[in-house]
Amino acid sequence: MPLRRFSRLIVLAVASAGAMYFAGVGSAKAGSPAVLFAEAVANSDGTYAITATVTHRDEGWTHYLDRWDVLDPSGRVLASRTLYHPHVDEQPFTRSLGRVEVPVGVAEVTIRAHCKVDGDGTRTFTLKLPPRR
């Protein structure tokens, strides 16, 4: 097989694999809301400012990602960031929540997204907290 033809086959195979990967990503986020990334900054008053990047295939006012929660290791909700409108054309998106009170001794929290229709998402993000100030 000539080298040029072989090179075309490799390019075609890589392009097909990439298309399959992106198709999988799209279908994975269609139903359940997901947290892609989160970070925390320690505030001077002992609380934390938490920022989360979330995604969901919002469809409009009756079906959208309506909040994300900060959970302690036992699953108790410590704080919630309410989202008051759909983000149909803004995916993924990032929002912050300031002054999250985390009990002393808790070293990490879990961020979980929630949808009005689909409920709690299963793709969460575990966040190690920086030392308190």
Side-chain angles (χ1 to χ4, degrees):
M1 174 181 298
L3 182 59
R4 187 172 183 183
R5 185 173 178 195
F6 182 71
S7 297
R8 281 188 208 154
L9 287 174
I10 290 175
V11 169
L12 182 60
V14 170
S16 296
M20 288 172 48
Y21 170 77
F22 286 114
V25 169
S27 61
K29 71 180 195 179
S32 183
V35 181
L36 304 179
F37 180 75
E39 61 185 343
V41 175
N43 295 321
S44 60
D45 64 358
T47 64
Y48 290 93
I50 297 178
T51 302
T53 300
V54 295
T55 188
H56 178 264
R57 188 170 291 166
D58 289 0
E59 295 177 1
W61 287 98
T62 59
H63 187 182
Y64 70 95
L65 195 152
D66 62 350
R67 75 169 192 267
W68 52 264
D69 300 318
V70 180
L71 310 169
D72 73 6
S74 71
R76 183 173 61 105
V77 176
L78 300 175
S80 295
R81 171 58 154 96
T82 301
L83 304 165
Y84 294 101
H85 61 87
H87 294 82
V88 175
D89 297 323
E90 184 187 358
Q91 295 291 329
F93 61 98
T94 303
R95 296 294 180 272
S96 298
L97 181 61
R99 301 198 180 285
V100 177
E101 294 183 19
V102 177
V104 173
V106 172
E108 65 182 30
V109 294
T110 299
I111 311 302
R112 178 185 66 200
H114 181 272
C115 168
K116 292 175 77 85
V117 173
D118 303 314
D120 292 331
T122 56
R123 185 171 171 191
T124 61
F125 191 93
T126 301
L127 177 61
K128 292 187 186 293
L129 297 171
R132 294 174 191 269
R133 288 186 177 185

